[in-house]
Amino acid sequence: MSRKGKAKKRKAERLRNKKLIDRYPWISPVNWHWKRIPSYDFTMYDDVPKGWKRAFGKIMLEEYREALIRCNYLDKFQWIQVKEKYGTLRLYSNAAPKEVSDLESKYDHISGYFCIECGRMNVPVLTGGWVEPLCEDCYNKRIARQKRWHEKDHPDREFKYTPYKNLKKEEQKLDMIAVYKHFSADRGDYEEKRDYSDTINKIIARQGKLFG
Ligand SMILES: [Zn+2]
């Protein structure tokens, strides 16, 4: 791409980021001290893997927004780190009302069932080495990419890989109800069940549009 083309692309990206930050102020970028940076070069939402953005990104952002407005916390809330860990989405924020911070465990639960690359639901989670939910198509695309790099770098050596069917993985089916185990001094061990069917049904409706 030409320099002019790149500059144009960056400008469009910043404009997109500004629109997102105006509606979802907590995805504003932060520095190492978790202070907001007045910049539209990137957003904290950028760190959500693309398959998850596709499957439920906007649903999640809107759900946060509604909860924050209800709690009168929209301008005080801030994501300070967003990442994937052990195959699920981890959202870290400043202190927030419970209704808002409960969304972190909700999306931690939900995300683990969706392909991290394309957003397809109920895909197996790979468990050998890197733990991540990944569908067969996306695995094969990844292998094809690696094969191209390999052939460029080492044309003399054979490219080896494990076929998807031989990978270590666990089949999964998204549970509408998450069970959390807690301990407290007065109650001892106890379970808390949270019903996520409202959000999950919205996400399922979107799957139909995405994958037909
Ligand atoms: Zn996929």
Side-chain angles (χ1 to χ4, degrees):
M1 198 187 285
S2 70
R3 222 165 65 194
K4 223 170 158 185
K6 272 185 194 157
K8 210 171 156 187
K9 201 177 155 205
R10 267 203 307 275
K11 200 177 161 193
E13 215 171 84
R14 272 201 289 269
L15 199 67
R16 253 198 324 274
N17 287 343
K18 182 184 183 307
K19 274 189 192 154
L20 280 174
I21 292 170
D22 284 349
R23 186 161 179 85
Y24 313 115
W26 67 93
I27 66 167
S28 170
V30 291
N31 65 18
W32 290 106
H33 304 288
W34 302 343
K35 287 273 176 291
R36 278 186 191 169
I37 310 169
S39 160
Y40 298 123
D41 288 344
F42 68 99
T43 77
M44 301 305 283
Y45 182 63
D46 296 352
D47 292 331
V48 176
K50 70 173 186 223
W52 294 345
K53 277 187 186 147
R54 208 171 165 229
F56 58 78
K58 280 290 159 65
I59 291 171
M60 173 175 72
L61 289 173
E62 284 298 319
E63 191 171 8
Y64 262 96
R65 189 177 144 85
E66 281 166 25
L68 286 163
I69 289 171
R70 266 196 303 277
C71 300
N72 194 20
Y73 214 73
L74 186 61
D75 295 322
K76 297 178 209 91
F77 186 62
Q78 176 65 47
W79 275 354
I80 54 177
Q81 196 187 20
V82 173
K83 63 178 178 182
E84 172 275 331
K85 194 177 176 191
Y86 302 123
T88 68
L89 179 62
R90 307 298 167 97
L91 302 165
Y92 303 95
S93 71
N94 60 354
K98 188 171 183 299
E99 185 189 349
V100 176
S101 57
D102 275 354
L103 295 176
E104 286 169 14
S105 35
K106 180 177 194 170
Y107 284 96
D108 181 342
H109 172 85
I110 292 174
S111 57
Y113 297 90
F114 291 85
C115 177
I116 197 161
E117 298 273 352
C118 73
R120 190 179 286 278
M121 192 169 91
N122 288 333
V123 300
V125 59
L126 309 187
T127 54
W130 204 259
V131 177
E132 60 179 350
L134 192 69
C135 76
E136 184 163 7
D137 281 356
C138 291
Y139 178 76
N140 289 337
K141 276 183 202 156
R142 197 182 277 180
I143 291 298
R145 262 196 316 272
Q146 286 171 0
K147 188 166 185 272
R148 280 198 300 275
W149 294 332
H150 176 93
E151 282 166 353
K152 225 164 101 188
D153 293 345
H154 312 284
D156 48 325
R157 272 194 269 146
E158 191 197 345
F159 176 74
K160 286 192 186 121
Y161 74 98
T162 311
Y164 190 77
K165 63 173 167 44
N166 296 346
L167 290 173
K168 261 196 193 167
K169 55 188 176 300
E170 274 169 32
E171 297 295 329
Q172 311 196 89
K173 194 158 180 349
L174 179 44
D175 212 329
M176 296 275 183
I177 294 162
V179 181
Y180 298 96
K181 293 188 193 310
H182 299 293
F183 175 84
S184 76
D186 48 330
R187 295 175 70 180
D189 289 310
Y190 68 99
E191 280 187 349
E192 180 201 0
K193 286 186 179 161
R194 279 201 240 149
D195 185 344
Y196 294 149
S197 52
D198 52 343
T199 302
I200 291 169
N201 284 325
K202 273 188 217 165
I203 297 172
I204 291 173
R206 209 179 131 64
Q207 287 276 303
K209 281 177 217 147
L210 287 174
F211 301 104

